[in-house]
Amino acid sequence: MRIVNTDDVTAQLSAFMAEREWEQFHTPHTLAKSIAIEAGELMELFQWSDDAPVAEVTGELADVLTYCLLLAAKLEVDPLQIVLDKLQVTGEKYPVELARGRSVRHDQL
Amino acid sequence: MRIVNTDDVTAQLSAFMAEREWEQFHTPHTLAKSIAIEAGELMELFQWSDDAPVAEVTGELADVLTYCLLLAAKLEVDPLQIVLDKLQVTGEKYPVELARGRSVRHDQL
Amino acid sequence: MRIVNTDDVTAQLSAFMAEREWEQFHTPHTLAKSIAIEAGELMELFQWSDDAPVAEVTGELADVLTYCLLLAAKLEVDPLQIVLDKLQVTGEKYPVELARGRSVRHDQL
Amino acid sequence: MRIVNTDDVTAQLSAFMAEREWEQFHTPHTLAKSIAIEAGELMELFQWSDDAPVAEVTGELADVLTYCLLLAAKLEVDPLQIVLDKLQVTGEKYPVELARGRSVRHDQL
């Protein structure tokens, strides 16, 4: 069994882009726009309903994730480490006692 | 050196959410909306300029990624595997010979 | 010459939706999602470039505006009056002397 | 009673921007991004619920509409006329007999 890790996937994405000479189009700005565009397509699956086919949701999520990994690589940050770093910040803004079972913003806790 | 992998991070996210009893708010629909909302905040950093401070971009990217990992977990798919699966599909739609150096949609190749 | 006003257009949109029995799908929530989805399609025209064909931009802008008018009607607010009301609020947050020639947020003025 | 029309509102927006020397920041590209960013803020009100306070929805809708009017002015198109033009196109793609009571895309009718 091969364990896929983010470095492997980023390397494959990078090779894919290099082959097609697409890196020239990739800047933090164009990648941020691309993430937002793909996020819109993901949300379109839920436009009229709270439910959507898993296969389609998976496909659109993959597109968002792809651009996220490309942006992380461009910024030279580890995509998983920054999630953990942010989780710690969020944990401080939303202490368990105050936040439990509530979906309000931290400034309304 | 500890290698962070997606299962670890997903487990930490899951524990964080369980502690705060926030899983009740997380459905594919609300997570898809959340991804789009955070993607909008990421893009806001580039509203008037092609450039943005790396630390701020990193912070917003982390928010998008967090919801992506939560959605992947909810769908019970591997977030890295679906990126690789999609890459193969994209590779077929954009053959190297036709796509090289061009940023057009596949139906215009 | 016929002057088009927002009431006329809203009435035509309303008749169009009634004919197709589509009002049942329109709530503030689904209309807000629809605005964001169409805004993503508008932005897609600028994904890789600062420029886009006017006709295509116009078409996507029309889609965003259509859902904005439907949402205003659903909320029973005048779409132009709320723009003017907000302009006054914005004017107070961004006084001319401080804001002139600067694209920063009001809390950074 | 004064009837507000889009030309009046666009003129007021234009004067507001000129006073602050903000027109320099407004291109179709930055306005399209701004529409998407504000649409994300509108949708944020519905992140965890199908319901949101009318006053807040109205305020965010006003922001989306403001940038839509600015973009229409920049493109030199009438914001209401393009909605009507698009409505005609949509009517042809979704004939009443086929589309009645259905929220599917036209290619699935």
Side-chain angles (χ1 to χ4, degrees):
Chain A
M1 199 195 80
R2 190 173 61 92
I3 305 243
V4 178
N5 68 46
T6 51
D7 284 350
D8 284 348
V9 175
T10 297
Q12 290 194 46
L13 288 176
S14 177
F16 183 95
M17 301 305 158
E19 242 187 333
R20 284 162 186 75
E21 299 174 10
W22 282 355
E23 313 98 321
Q24 61 183 308
F25 305 122
H26 293 172
T27 65
H29 178 219
T30 62
L31 293 170
K33 285 190 282 185
S34 299
I35 289 169
I37 292 163
E38 297 297 342
E41 295 186 11
L42 170 60
M43 207 177 48
E44 190 177 359
L45 299 171
F46 298 94
Q47 184 170 14
W48 305 117
S49 164
D50 290 6
D51 248 318
V54 171
E56 293 183 40
V57 177
T58 299
E60 296 296 347
L61 174 59
D63 288 338
V64 180
L65 272 166
T66 298
Y67 283 118
C68 286
L69 293 178
L70 289 168
L71 179 52
K74 181 68 70 182
L75 300 173
E76 299 183 356
V77 297
D78 182 308
L80 296 178
Q81 191 56 55
I82 66 174
V83 167
L84 293 181
D85 293 347
K86 191 62 174 270
L87 194 63
Q88 191 162 353
V89 174
T90 307
E92 285 158 18
K93 281 164 73 179
Y94 294 89
V96 170
E97 294 70 31
L98 286 175
R100 189 178 289 128
R102 303 173 65 193
S103 64
V104 299
R105 292 175 66 98
H106 64 95
D107 47 15
Q108 293 164 8
L109 282 179
Chain B
M1 198 195 80
R2 190 174 61 91
I3 305 244
V4 178
N5 68 46
T6 51
D7 284 349
D8 284 349
V9 175
T10 297
Q12 290 194 47
L13 289 177
S14 177
F16 184 96
M17 301 305 157
E19 242 187 332
R20 284 162 185 74
E21 298 173 11
W22 282 355
E23 314 97 320
Q24 61 182 309
F25 305 121
H26 293 173
T27 64
H29 178 221
T30 61
L31 293 171
K33 285 190 282 184
S34 299
I35 289 169
I37 292 163
E38 297 296 343
E41 296 187 10
L42 170 61
M43 208 178 47
E44 190 178 357
L45 299 172
F46 298 94
Q47 185 170 14
W48 306 117
S49 164
D50 290 6
D51 247 319
V54 171
E56 292 183 39
V57 178
T58 299
E60 297 297 345
L61 174 60
D63 288 338
V64 180
L65 272 165
T66 297
Y67 282 117
C68 286
L69 293 178
L70 288 169
L71 179 51
K74 181 67 72 180
L75 300 173
E76 299 182 355
V77 297
D78 182 308
L80 296 178
Q81 191 56 55
I82 67 173
V83 168
L84 292 181
D85 293 346
K86 191 61 175 271
L87 193 63
Q88 190 161 352
V89 175
T90 306
E92 285 157 19
K93 281 165 72 180
Y94 294 89
V96 170
E97 295 70 32
L98 286 175
R100 189 178 289 128
R102 303 173 66 192
S103 65
V104 299
R105 292 175 67 97
H106 64 95
D107 47 13
Q108 293 164 7
L109 282 181
Chain C
M1 200 195 79
R2 190 173 62 91
I3 306 244
V4 177
N5 69 47
T6 52
D7 284 349
D8 283 348
V9 175
T10 297
Q12 289 195 46
L13 288 176
S14 176
F16 184 96
M17 301 305 159
E19 242 187 333
R20 283 163 185 75
E21 298 173 10
W22 281 355
E23 313 97 321
Q24 62 183 309
F25 304 122
H26 293 173
T27 64
H29 179 220
T30 61
L31 293 171
K33 284 190 281 184
S34 299
I35 289 169
I37 293 163
E38 298 296 342
E41 296 188 10
L42 170 61
M43 208 177 48
E44 191 178 357
L45 299 172
F46 298 94
Q47 185 169 14
W48 305 117
S49 163
D50 290 6
D51 247 318
V54 171
E56 292 183 41
V57 178
T58 299
E60 296 297 345
L61 174 60
D63 287 339
V64 179
L65 272 166
T66 297
Y67 282 118
C68 285
L69 293 178
L70 288 168
L71 179 51
K74 182 67 73 182
L75 300 173
E76 299 183 354
V77 296
D78 181 309
L80 296 179
Q81 190 57 54
I82 66 174
V83 168
L84 292 181
D85 293 347
K86 191 61 173 273
L87 193 63
Q88 191 162 353
V89 174
T90 307
E92 286 158 17
K93 281 164 72 180
Y94 294 89
V96 170
E97 294 70 31
L98 287 175
R100 189 177 289 127
R102 303 173 64 193
S103 65
V104 299
R105 291 176 67 100
H106 64 93
D107 46 14
Q108 293 164 9
L109 282 181
Chain D
M1 199 195 79
R2 189 173 63 91
I3 305 242
V4 177
N5 69 45
T6 51
D7 284 350
D8 283 349
V9 175
T10 297
Q12 290 194 46
L13 289 176
S14 177
F16 183 95
M17 301 305 159
E19 241 187 334
R20 284 163 184 75
E21 298 174 11
W22 282 355
E23 314 97 320
Q24 62 182 308
F25 305 121
H26 294 173
T27 64
H29 179 221
T30 61
L31 293 171
K33 284 190 281 184
S34 299
I35 289 169
I37 292 163
E38 297 296 342
E41 296 187 10
L42 169 61
M43 208 177 48
E44 191 178 357
L45 299 172
F46 299 94
Q47 185 170 15
W48 305 117
S49 164
D50 290 7
D51 247 319
V54 171
E56 292 183 40
V57 178
T58 299
E60 296 297 346
L61 174 60
D63 288 339
V64 179
L65 272 167
T66 297
Y67 283 118
C68 285
L69 293 178
L70 288 169
L71 179 52
K74 182 68 73 183
L75 300 173
E76 299 184 353
V77 297
D78 181 308
L80 296 179
Q81 190 57 54
I82 67 174
V83 168
L84 293 181
D85 292 348
K86 191 61 174 272
L87 194 63
Q88 191 162 352
V89 174
T90 306
E92 285 158 20
K93 280 164 73 179
Y94 294 90
V96 170
E97 295 69 32
L98 287 175
R100 188 178 289 129
R102 303 173 66 193
S103 65
V104 298
R105 292 175 66 98
H106 64 94
D107 46 14
Q108 293 165 7
L109 282 180

